[in-house]
Amino acid sequence: MAILIIEDDPKTGDYLRKGLRESGYAVDLARTGTDGVHLAMQQTYDLIILDVMLPAIDGWEIIRRIREQHDLPVIFLSARDDVNDRIRGLRLGADDYLVKPFSFVELELRVRTILRRGLTRESDVFEIADLRLDVLRRKVTRDGVEIALTNKEFMLLHLLMKRQGEVLSRTQIASEVWDMNFDSDTNVVDVAVKRLRAKVDAPFGRKLISTIRSVGYSLSLDA
């Protein structure tokens, strides 16, 4: 696996290159944004580790240029632990965002996880019929009308849309949305689905959420 590091701090760049090479990766190091863009366009890499705060061409601009030609995983490194920076990086297409200082073990684990996952990164936007869910903007619309959802309703809809066409049991839903073991005497899933239906199905002609008797729920065009 080949990794490109774009990092202007000599100590950090050398440390990462040495550690990743010892872990068995082929590693190139670019110390400027210009050199990094050149290498990314000319060579083939499986992953890029990219510092945000670079002189001349910063990490934001670099990922924009890379994304114009390549769809490969990118991990952002930054000394700025600001939620807006994290959101900006993810919206630009980064797969992960690591704040300095960090442990090399943590970085290596994230690298291995992303490379194992390959290019099957989760989509930021899900659509079925006229229903649209934007993960990063936390926005749901149907037929162009924005729908206000609670956090759990959003998570439930996100799960159903990710797994559209599949029948999800109440146990699966409870585990993924509420992080809890399902109790047959608890109707939390049924109540949440009822509330979600009232918002995303009831006001519209075509119904998308189905109840599968004694099993669970499904979101599909065949509801």
Side-chain angles (χ1 to χ4, degrees), residues 2 7 37 67:
E7 168 63 69
V37 170
R67 283 285 176 261

Side-chain angles (χ1 to χ4, degrees), residues 99-118:
V99 177
K100 300 176 182 179
F102 52 83
S103 74
F104 179 77
V105 172
E106 181 182 8
L107 173 66
E108 186 186 13
L109 285 172
R110 295 192 187 202
V111 166
R112 283 164 53 188
T113 299
I114 290 172
L115 289 176
R116 194 182 307 123
R117 190 172 70 206

Side-chain angles (χ1 to χ4, degrees), residues 88-198:
R88 183 180 182 187
L90 293 171
R91 281 180 173 168
L92 286 171
D95 294 75
D96 210 338
Y97 189 106
L98 198 57
V99 177
K100 300 176 182 179
F102 52 83
S103 74
F104 179 77
V105 172
E106 181 182 8
L107 173 66
E108 186 186 13
L109 285 172
R110 295 192 187 202
V111 166
R112 283 164 53 188
T113 299
I114 290 172
L115 289 176
R116 194 182 307 123
R117 190 172 70 206
L119 291 176
T120 58
R121 299 197 300 277
E122 183 178 297
S123 174
D124 296 331
V125 176
F126 296 85
E127 294 182 279
I128 179 170
D130 55 356
L131 178 63
R132 187 175 192 272
L133 181 145
D134 187 320
V135 177
L136 293 178
R137 292 177 175 82
R138 305 289 291 184
K139 183 178 180 180
V140 174
T141 59
R142 184 150 189 200
D143 195 24
V145 178
E146 187 166 352
I147 301 171
L149 300 180
T150 66
N151 187 51
K152 290 301 183 185
E153 288 167 351
F154 186 92
M155 292 172 66
L156 174 58
L157 182 60
H158 184 200
L159 174 63
L160 290 169
M161 293 190 76
K162 272 197 306 185
R163 307 278 292 275
Q164 61 182 268
E166 298 180 39
V167 178
L168 299 178
S169 70
R170 291 170 175 81
T171 301
Q172 287 175 292
I173 294 171
S175 175
E176 296 205 32
V177 177
W178 283 271
D179 193 24
M180 59 180 276
N181 293 321
F182 181 73
D183 183 338
S184 58
D185 294 328
T186 302
N187 66 346
V188 62
V189 173
D190 298 320
V191 170
V193 171
K194 181 179 180 180
R195 290 175 176 167
L196 183 63
R197 272 182 168 145

Side-chain angles (χ1 to χ4, degrees), residues 5-23 27-31 49 77 100 102 104 107:
I5 300 169
I6 307 176
E7 168 63 69
D8 66 321
D9 179 70
K11 185 176 180 180
T12 302
D14 291 343
Y15 173 71
L16 294 179
R17 178 172 58 184
K18 181 176 183 292
L20 289 169
R21 281 181 175 174
E22 289 176 352
S23 298
V27 183
D28 287 336
L29 172 61
R31 299 192 188 277
I49 297 174
L77 304 180
K100 300 176 182 179
F102 52 83
F104 179 77
L107 173 66

